[in-house]
Amino acid sequence: MAAASLLGPAAEPLPEVERIAVLRANALGDFIFVLPALDALRAAYPEAEIVLLGAPWHAKLWRDRPGPVDRVLVVPPADGIRYPEPDEPAAAMDDFLAAARTERFDLALQLHGGGGNSNPLVAALGARVTAGLRSENAPPLDRWIRYVYYQHEVIRYLEVVALVGAPATTILPTLAVTVADRAEAAEVLGPPRAPRVALHPGATDTRRRWPAERFAEVARELVGDGYEVLVTGTPAEREVVDRVVEAAGVPLRPQVGTLSLGGLAGCYADCALVISNDTGPLHLAGAVGAPTVGIFWVGNLINTATPLRGRHRPITSWTVHCPVCGVDCTPGIYPHRPGDGECPHRDSFVIDVPVVEVLDAARELLRPEPGAP
């Protein structure tokens, strides 16, 4: 009989499973989306060791952190798998796979993407059973489900683990915040002078960036409302953080590269609100329990925005045509529709989101009416 699941039937768990490999080696937000699938695996196989095949940053994040990952094996950089981190020593994929096969994995799961590059890697682990996603040109695993671009990422990976008898136990990504996380945040930030709101104006894909001047306007209003406003960013995002701080014209607290990923989790966990573009820190904030206002392009809203509204407000841009050349940027996923779906421009697709919508959502979450969460 199929196991019960929040999302419908799941296969029966496999017998005598001692060790499970899970490939998910990409960026922060991508990893947050797979947490419910890892929780499902832990519930279905409580005695098995769950080994994440990830990047060096995954190993740092999971050091001494409670959760469904028991151990991280760092997979070497490779096309379609992951990019090398700065100053990362070279490593050969053949050597990695030879060592991984000695682990004698019972299950190997591809929760990484369409599978063109990742399915051969997972198949080469030598596991008893493999499962994962499969785009049209990807080789199959033992059990697979079709990769369809427009599907919420959390549900996508829950469907995969259901193939090996791990029914969904939650659809909400949750990351534990440790004492060390909060201690680092406290050491860097000191005690709050007022309730804190964090803004994150960066995003790797510049099409997902709301203008820095609009973040500055939001910051100015919130400082006027009596909040202490942090502006977080990676070292690569220093320029946009500086633009927000300069344009705001009020005291803000920029935090660029001052916190580790764990420290950032501790920081966000104690914020009254996080306002961000659709990028990893936004999803991290939600996973550690912070209320959020996210600024989304409509396609990304479908795939990545939380479905909850009690403590979260995704604000949507409905732009689908490139603001520079006018090309419809959706037909690449729908090949039978007119247009080529691609263009070289990387101008913002969320510039039509007005400041007032973000501010209204922020104030509603910061000052909830009686009876609201």
Side-chain angles (χ1 to χ4, degrees):
M1 182 181 295
S5 171
L6 293 172
L7 305 179
E12 287 296 321
L14 277 71
E16 300 179 5
V17 172
E18 296 182 0
R19 189 165 292 115
I20 302 171
V22 177
L23 176 63
R24 186 65 169 171
N26 29 27
L28 173 61
D30 301 312
F31 182 71
I32 296 296
F33 303 138
V34 86
L35 287 170
L38 293 170
D39 288 333
L41 286 170
R42 170 55 66 225
Y45 299 98
E47 304 302 320
E49 182 185 31
I50 298 177
V51 181
L52 176 69
L53 275 55
W57 74 262
H58 292 100
K60 294 176 185 175
L61 180 67
W62 282 101
R63 190 175 298 133
D64 302 321
R65 184 177 305 276
V69 174
D70 295 303
R71 182 161 53 96
V72 175
L73 283 183
V74 175
V75 62
D79 289 343
I81 304 300
R82 71 175 183 88
Y83 294 108
E85 294 187 3
D87 302 319
E88 182 180 353
M93 184 63 76
D94 288 346
D95 293 341
F96 169 81
L97 289 172
R101 283 191 285 269
T102 67
E103 300 264 359
R104 301 180 65 84
F105 289 112
D106 298 290
L107 294 178
L109 302 177
Q110 189 274 96
L111 304 184
H112 192 78
N117 295 289
S118 49
N119 283 0
L121 189 158
V122 167
L125 294 171
R128 211 161 27 106
V129 175
T130 61
L133 295 155
R134 185 189 182 194
S135 58
E136 290 187 5
N137 297 320
L141 298 170
D142 296 327
R143 303 178 184 184
W144 56 273
I145 191 166
R146 179 67 71 197
Y147 179 91
V148 178
Y149 183 81
Y150 279 129
Q151 178 183 18
H152 198 283
E153 294 289 303
V154 168
I155 306 303
R156 190 192 306 281
Y157 304 115
L158 284 170
E159 285 202 292
V160 173
V161 297
L163 296 174
V164 295
T169 59
T170 181
I171 61 169
L172 305 180
T174 303
L175 185 73
V177 180
T178 67
V179 171
D181 295 338
R182 282 197 159 95
E184 180 188 339
E187 181 179 359
V188 171
L189 300 172
R193 298 188 288 267
R196 280 177 176 152
V197 175
L199 310 183
H200 191 91
T204 302
D205 186 343
T206 54
R207 293 173 297 178
R208 289 188 272 119
R209 287 189 181 183
W210 201 43
E213 294 71 24
R214 298 191 190 176
F215 274 104
E217 189 172 343
V218 170
R220 189 162 52 249
E221 291 285 334
L222 293 177
V223 168
D225 289 348
Y227 295 95
E228 180 182 5
V229 177
L230 312 177
V231 188
T232 59
T234 65
E237 295 165 340
R238 183 178 299 278
E239 180 183 356
V240 69
V241 170
D242 289 345
R243 285 169 54 201
V244 172
V245 172
E246 181 179 359
V250 294
L252 305 181
R253 299 192 60 189
Q255 303 296 319
V256 178
T258 59
L259 294 161
S260 70
L261 188 53
L264 188 65
C267 165
Y268 286 162
D270 291 330
C271 282
L273 182 67
V274 176
I275 303 172
S276 174
N277 296 315
D278 169 28
T279 188
L282 173 68
H283 305 295
L284 173 67
V288 299
T292 66
V293 174
I295 300 160
F296 286 84
W297 176 63
V298 59
N300 298 133
L301 180 94
I302 294 168
N303 281 32
T304 68
T306 174
L308 302 184
R309 294 298 176 268
R311 289 162 54 83
H312 304 284
R313 296 289 190 276
I315 309 296
T316 311
S317 166
W318 299 91
T319 298
V320 296
H321 293 88
C322 172
V324 178
C325 67
V327 164
D328 183 343
C329 288
T330 60
I333 305 158
Y334 300 110
H336 302 295
R337 301 185 188 186
D340 61 12
E342 294 292 338
C343 75
H345 304 111
R346 289 297 179 265
D347 293 56
S348 175
F349 270 60
V350 296
I351 199 168
D352 60 322
V353 172
V355 168
V356 64
E357 289 185 8
V358 174
L359 272 173
D360 284 352
R363 285 170 169 153
E364 184 181 14
L365 292 173
L366 289 166
R367 301 194 297 252
E369 297 180 16

